[in-house]
Amino acid sequence: MKRIQFEAITLAAVCAELQEITGAKVQGVRQPNDDTVVLELFSRGKSYQLLISAHPEFFRVYFTNRKPRNLKNLPQFCSALRANLIGLHLEQVTMVGSDRILRLDFGDWKLIAELMGK
């Protein structure tokens, strides 16, 4: 598999795209594998699947059309995200400085993805 670079400039473009769904409601959280979380967001009559992967080599954030299945044994991280994020609205999306750090603000709750690799 060819590795596609996910640099700070790519994350900046993703942040700009995510600005369009600010205010979206979290409807679901899935964890298809140990290093990936998918947030199901609903905004303006449309559902979005936001994939966030912390894979050591293929880290990335993007919208996907697929609704992945959960792991057979739901990890505690996914359970915690479900308990705290479902029903909340995405209030703000920011990139921390010029680093590959994505911050998703849901009111009192923040989800921070550090996309640094190994």
Side-chain angles (χ1 to χ4, degrees), residues 4 58 85:
I4 299 171
F58 302 108
L85 294 183

Side-chain angles (χ1 to χ4, degrees), residues 34-101:
D34 289 338
D35 52 24
T36 303
V37 170
V38 178
L39 301 178
E40 183 176 354
L41 302 164
F42 187 79
S43 177
R44 298 180 190 102
K46 187 174 178 186
S47 182
Y48 298 88
Q49 307 296 318
L50 180 63
L51 184 141
I52 303 169
S53 175
H55 188 279
E57 292 181 47
F58 302 108
F59 50 89
R60 63 210 180 274
V61 176
Y62 64 90
F63 287 116
T64 180
N65 293 326
R66 293 188 233 163
K67 288 186 180 182
R69 294 182 183 208
N70 279 316
L71 292 169
K72 288 186 179 183
N73 296 319
L74 196 62
Q76 287 183 340
F77 181 65
C78 186
S79 297
L81 287 177
R82 284 181 171 183
N84 293 298
L85 294 183
I86 291 180
L88 297 182
H89 294 270
L90 178 61
E91 293 183 2
Q92 188 175 14
V93 178
T94 53
M95 179 177 164
V96 179
S98 59
D99 292 325
R100 288 177 290 179
I101 301 173

Side-chain angles (χ1 to χ4, degrees), residues 7-23:
E7 300 167 340
I9 195 162
T10 305
L11 182 58
V14 169
C15 282
E17 188 174 359
L18 287 171
Q19 297 300 328
E20 297 175 17
I21 63 161
T22 300

